Amino acid sequence: MYRDLRQIYWWNGMKRDIMEMVAQCPNCHQVKAEHQRPGGLTQCIELPLWKWDMINMDFITGLPRTPRSFQASIQIAPYEALYGRKCRSPIGWFEVGEAELLGPNLVQQAMEKVKLIRDRLRTAQSRQKSYADVRRRDLEFDVEDWVFLKKCIGDPSRITPIEDIHIAEDLSYAEVPVVILDRQVRKLRTKEVASVKVLWRNNNIEEMTREAEEEMRKKYPHLYLFTT
């Protein structure tokens, strides 16, 4: 906006005024959000403490046709991480010369493997977070800050005090005409139709509409007391 305007206009503090106006513009905050970096840094999920502590389900296609699939984050096959051994068919459950682990040795090995997997998951999370946060920005808010999905500078003039609006039981309210600004007469084939431009209040901002003069004279005769 500044680059466009400076080709035609210039005034002292022009760039600052434009920045403040854009910062207070609701459309810029809501409609043009795609041009802004996402607010807030990536939040890491909690790592499970033990096997089956957390269960997630993903639907993935194109998986390899082998039970020994490798998971990059934990640097081990998921089956081996859960059950403590590589996946084999029941016929060859134990390899030649392999001793079966029982009792305290099995528990100790499982605890060491879970700790190793947690460390690897934490490292993978940290690496992925650093990559994602490059395209994001941290946000900090103070009490009474106005926010949408990011920090917003509010405009108090857009707020209508509740005390000034008389709301009916059906949650409707009557708009109050302030003044008639203009009168216009349209000539039709058989008659003339007069309309007036009315300035209304009781909205977030003052608005103008064009109404039929006859209806306005009936509803709000006080507006015509000082007209000639």
Side-chain angles (χ1 to χ4, degrees):
M1 182 178 293
Y2 170 74
R3 288 196 297 266
D4 293 341
L5 289 178
R6 71 180 181 181
Q7 299 177 9
I8 307 175
Y9 306 100
W10 182 88
W11 64 85
N12 288 328
M14 175 180 176
K15 191 170 185 179
R16 181 186 66 253
D17 293 343
I18 293 176
M19 290 176 60
E20 292 178 356
M21 188 276 291
V22 172
Q24 296 179 9
C25 175
N27 290 335
C28 296
H29 286 282
Q30 299 178 72
V31 180
K32 300 181 180 179
E34 67 274 8
H35 300 300
Q36 314 242 353
R37 289 188 298 168
L41 301 180
T42 306
Q43 302 297 316
C44 295
I45 61 174
E46 183 180 357
L47 297 179
L49 298 177
W50 194 250
K51 305 176 182 181
W52 303 108
D53 191 25
M54 295 172 56
I55 301 176
N56 297 318
M57 181 177 293
D58 296 323
F59 296 92
I60 306 174
T61 60
L63 291 175
R65 297 182 179 180
T66 171
R68 300 183 181 182
S69 59
F70 183 81
Q71 220 288 331
S73 297
I74 59 178
Q75 302 179 25
I76 195 175
Y79 185 95
E80 186 175 355
L82 290 174
Y83 299 106
R85 62 171 61 249
K86 297 179 179 180
C87 182
R88 310 186 185 101
S89 64
I91 298 177
W93 192 256
F94 295 101
E95 293 182 353
V96 178
E98 181 182 20
E100 184 178 2
L101 295 175
L102 298 174
N105 292 334
L106 180 62
V107 175
Q108 180 64 28
Q109 187 187 65
M111 294 176 62
E112 293 175 356
K113 185 162 293 186
V114 167
K115 182 180 181 303
L116 177 62
I117 292 174
R118 281 176 51 84
D119 292 341
R120 290 175 177 175
L121 283 175
R122 190 178 294 106
T123 301
Q125 272 195 353
S126 177
R127 181 172 60 251
Q128 294 167 3
K129 174 178 168 60
S130 63
Y131 293 156
D133 287 345
V134 171
R135 298 184 295 273
R136 305 179 70 91
R137 57 195 177 92
D138 195 11
L139 294 179
E140 295 183 1
F141 304 109
D142 295 327
V143 178
E144 296 184 357
D145 274 351
W146 290 32
V147 297
F148 290 114
L149 296 178
K150 52 187 174 294
K151 188 173 182 179
C152 170
I153 301 176
D155 184 1
S157 64
R158 297 180 177 271
I159 301 176
T160 301
I162 300 178
E163 296 79 9
D164 297 341
I165 303 179
H166 302 285
I167 302 178
E169 293 183 357
D170 60 353
L171 300 182
S172 63
Y173 65 92
E175 294 186 341
V176 179
V178 179
V179 66
I180 294 178
L181 300 175
D182 185 32
R183 183 176 184 271
Q184 180 180 356
V185 179
R186 295 182 59 189
K187 294 183 178 180
L188 304 180
R189 287 186 177 183
T190 59
K191 63 178 180 178
E192 294 182 349
V193 178
S195 62
V196 291
K197 183 183 291 185
V198 184
L199 178 64
W200 299 88
R201 193 169 53 205
N202 270 13
N203 286 323
N204 291 337
I205 58 175
E206 294 183 339
E207 296 181 352
M208 294 179 293
T209 61
R210 187 164 290 278
E211 308 290 339
E213 185 180 37
E214 183 178 358
E215 294 295 328
M216 292 298 297
R217 283 185 180 273
K218 293 179 181 179
K219 293 182 179 179
Y220 312 103
H222 63 278
L223 295 177
Y224 295 87
L225 294 178
F226 302 100
T227 58
T228 58

